[in-house]
Amino acid sequence: MKTRTMVRRWAFLALVLAAPGAVFAHHGTGASYFQDRTVEIKGVVTEFLWRNPHSALFIDVTEGPFKGQNYAVELNSPGVMMRQGWTKKQFQPGDDVVIHVHPSRAGTAVGECLSCTVVVNGKETKPRQ
């Protein structure tokens, strides 16, 4: 019985010590993306994931340096997006989009757009502030 209690205490201690690192790692957009620049992505939506902790938009790029690649855009959480006026049907596969994202520091086809204007099928949509 004593051993089981000690194991539980050590497991709890490990969890408590690891949790702050996980919280800080989650909010590392400045570490992952260039916040001082944007890249225009033009293409066709292949998938839109309305999920926590962040929604994601996947675009087959038709112009620019990422042409021919599937670009992943990290968006806000569904709760924040709903407060900004977005819906889970905001993007449909086949939609033409133009979006300005903060590009990945790694130079890969990944970007972040937490409060940006998007042109969908020629119509500009922007989140409410």
Side-chain angles (χ1 to χ4, degrees):
M1 193 65 149
K2 233 178 183 184
T3 304
R4 190 178 292 172
T5 302
M6 285 300 289
V7 168
R8 286 183 183 160
R9 286 182 182 168
W10 280 107
F12 178 75
L13 180 62
L15 180 65
V16 168
L17 292 174
V23 169
F24 287 121
H26 173 77
H27 293 280
T29 55
S32 301
Y33 306 105
F34 288 107
Q35 296 298 304
D36 60 343
R37 59 180 97 149
T38 60
V39 173
E40 183 178 81
I41 303 298
K42 291 183 181 182
V44 178
V45 172
T46 57
E47 188 174 13
F48 177 49
L49 301 176
W50 183 263
R51 64 175 186 202
N52 281 312
H54 292 274
S55 295
L57 179 64
F58 297 89
I59 303 166
D60 277 344
V61 181
T62 56
E63 295 181 29
F66 294 100
K67 183 177 180 177
Q69 296 184 46
N70 190 256
Y71 201 97
V73 181
E74 179 181 347
L75 301 167
N76 271 313
S77 69
V80 171
M81 291 180 74
M82 284 186 342
R83 285 190 298 276
Q84 293 177 329
W86 301 88
T87 71
K88 64 182 175 181
K89 297 191 186 273
Q90 193 75 40
F91 305 101
Q92 298 295 320
D95 284 347
D96 288 317
V97 296
V98 178
I99 185 170
H100 290 85
V101 302
H102 297 283
S104 167
R105 290 183 180 272
T108 57
V110 179
E112 171 263 327
C113 177
L114 300 182
S115 286
C116 62
T117 301
V118 182
V119 177
V120 181
N121 298 323
K123 183 179 177 190
E124 185 177 286
T125 58
K126 61 173 90 171
R128 289 190 304 249
Q129 298 299 325

